[in-house]
Amino acid sequence: LTTVWWLLLFAGLAAARLAHSGVLWAEDNLPLAAGQQMAHGAVIYRDFWFDKPPLLAAFYIPLDHGWTLRLAGALYALAVCALAWAFARDAWGRREAWWAASLTAFFLTFYLPSAVIPVAADLMMLAPHLAAVWMAWRGRALWAGTLAGVAFLINPKGLFVLAACAAWGWRGVPALALGFVAVNAVAAAWMWWAGALGSYWEQVWSWGQVYAGSTFVDQPALHGLQRTLAWAGFHAAPL
């Protein structure tokens, strides 16, 4: 029964994404182009411009547009469901684990297509985010910090993942910080060796700060709070 349930879950995730195999979303374009450049030997940031952390582009290296891209998205969504299942099982029990995985699959199918069909920065961060908080909840601070570091190498919002892990287990903050710093130190060392570290800082952080510092919203903090409450209400509705 368990195997059949996972197969059905994957079939649903795959069918929803393969229906978009003829569509290339805006969120696909830049990381897919970056991955193809890297597959042909170009060095990210040094040889071409990319405004996101490196692991986002690395995910796309073996992919091409069409069904392979959508199948990879379905496999990634299944991995997120499995992490939700494992976390909920440890925290509450097997019944809650099935609900957690099923609701995760539901929202990763019927949420805004541009947010759940392409494996963009926010979606790709979801797996290490869940895994990091799960490890923090279990008291495994070093693993939590390492996974938060992976999230940060996908999306700058990974800093909030680190903060959430620290809130879950503040006694393990030194080990948490060690894991986070170690992962990012390895990435920084590789970029320095490849001659891309300065360009990484400029493209991801300097230009990113300029982009994030301007908004068309009059009161961004209030707008963000309203959107967060609306998002929480939408996700609480099935419960």
Side-chain angles (χ1 to χ4, degrees):
L1 181 61
T2 300
T3 302
V4 171
W5 183 84
W6 281 109
L7 288 173
L8 289 173
L9 197 68
F10 175 68
L13 291 168
R17 283 153 178 79
L18 288 172
H20 292 254
S21 60
V23 179
L24 196 61
W25 287 87
E27 291 77 8
D28 290 315
N29 291 335
L30 183 58
L32 182 60
Q36 291 177 344
Q37 289 293 315
M38 294 171 73
H40 287 87
V43 175
I44 190 170
Y45 310 121
R46 188 194 70 187
D47 298 331
F48 62 89
W49 184 89
F50 192 67
D51 67 340
K52 298 290 190 295
L55 288 187
L56 177 61
F59 176 83
Y60 283 81
I61 291 175
L63 303 178
D64 200 351
H65 61 83
W67 68 269
T68 57
L69 185 62
R70 299 301 169 223
L71 186 60
L75 289 170
Y76 190 84
L78 185 68
V80 173
C81 293
L83 285 167
W85 186 93
F87 193 177
R89 178 203 57 193
D90 283 1
W92 298 293
R94 292 183 66 86
R95 184 183 66 177
E96 290 81 1
W98 298 122
W99 275 106
S102 299
L103 288 172
T104 299
F106 176 85
F107 288 117
L108 290 181
T109 301
F110 296 105
Y111 197 55
L112 297 174
S114 61
V116 295
I117 299 301
V119 186
D122 286 343
L123 177 58
M124 190 181 292
M125 194 185 75
L126 189 54
H129 185 172
L130 272 173
V133 177
W134 178 28
M135 291 297 103
W137 180 83
R138 294 184 61 187
R140 304 186 68 174
L142 183 62
W143 273 109
T146 301
L147 289 161
V150 172
F152 183 70
L153 289 172
I154 296 170
N155 191 328
K157 296 174 186 175
L159 285 174
F160 293 101
V161 177
L162 181 67
C165 292
W168 275 95
W170 57 270
R171 289 186 177 88
V173 164
L176 184 72
L178 177 61
F180 184 86
V181 170
V183 169
N184 283 277
V186 170
W190 178 84
M191 286 185 283
W192 174 82
W193 175 81
L197 187 59
S199 299
Y200 159 74
W201 179 263
E202 179 184 13
Q203 294 168 28
V204 177
W205 295 102
S206 297
W207 284 103
Q209 184 178 10
V210 173
Y211 174 78
S214 60
T215 175
F216 58 88
V217 179
D218 292 333
Q219 296 178 299
L222 178 61
H223 182 75
L225 177 61
Q226 291 172 338
R227 292 290 294 270
T228 300
L229 291 174
W231 179 90
F234 172 77
H235 285 264
L239 303 178

